[in-house]
Amino acid sequence: MRILGLDLGTKTLGVALSDEMGWTAQGIETIKINEAEGDYGLPRLSELTKDYTIDKIVLGFPKNMNGTVGPRGEASQTFAKVLENTYNVPVVLWDERLTTMAAEKMLIAADVSRQKRKKVIDKMAAVMILQGYLDSLN
């Protein structure tokens, strides 16, 4: 059973994948998207779902710190429906508050340059989202 983890931004989509046992999450890539134009990188996601036989998708759900759903959370809810309709697999919205900040701190601690951090931050956030979900299952 493979699970795909996604971190939706306005310009990029971070992608992570679980191992077959569902224990660990690995970063796969960052897909360039254009949310304003409705381009969510679905052709590339379709390739990944076929290559890895995805059983479930975990999508980051950015809530406000007080637990309410703001514009980014609403964008994730809309994207979740697109994913369910496109791939016919369950989509789990996973609370991702502070994951991007945590990923950034981890990359800074690893002395990754600012330019390189920008390229991998969404992929790292997707790993943290998916790993949080996997840990909750075990």
Side-chain angles (χ1 to χ4, degrees):
M1 175 172 112
R2 293 258 191 177
I3 302 173
L4 197 67
L6 301 176
D7 178 48
L8 177 66
T10 56
K11 297 179 183 175
T12 59
L13 180 67
V15 183
L17 183 69
S18 75
D19 65 293
E20 290 180 349
M21 300 298 290
W23 292 343
T24 61
Q26 298 87 34
I28 299 294
E29 65 184 84
T30 301
I31 300 171
K32 292 218 181 282
I33 66 168
N34 187 334
E35 185 184 47
E37 293 180 7
D39 173 13
Y40 292 108
L42 295 180
R44 180 62 184 137
L45 279 178
S46 293
E47 291 173 8
L48 291 171
T49 59
K50 288 177 188 161
D51 290 348
Y52 294 104
T53 313
I54 302 302
D55 299 301
K56 185 183 293 183
I57 298 173
V58 176
L59 175 62
F61 186 40
K63 292 183 180 179
N64 295 323
M65 292 310 290
N66 65 3
T68 60
V69 178
R72 293 307 312 149
E74 291 171 355
S76 289
Q77 289 173 319
T78 300
F79 186 47
K81 289 176 186 162
V82 170
L83 293 170
E84 285 176 341
N85 292 336
T86 303
Y87 302 112
N88 199 30
V89 296
V91 176
V92 176
L93 289 170
W94 188 254
D95 187 350
E96 67 153 296
R97 282 178 273 193
L98 304 179
T99 55
T100 301
M101 254 195 295
E104 176 109 22
K105 285 181 182 180
M106 189 176 5
L107 291 169
I108 289 170
D111 203 26
V112 176
S113 72
R114 183 183 307 255
Q115 186 174 1
K116 288 181 182 175
R117 281 195 314 262
K118 284 184 79 172
K119 292 180 182 177
V120 299
I121 191 73
D122 295 315
K123 179 170 59 173
M124 287 296 301
V127 168
M128 296 179 86
I129 290 164
L130 181 54
Q131 191 64 56
Y133 175 77
L134 295 173
D135 290 348
S136 77
L137 298 177
N138 298 325

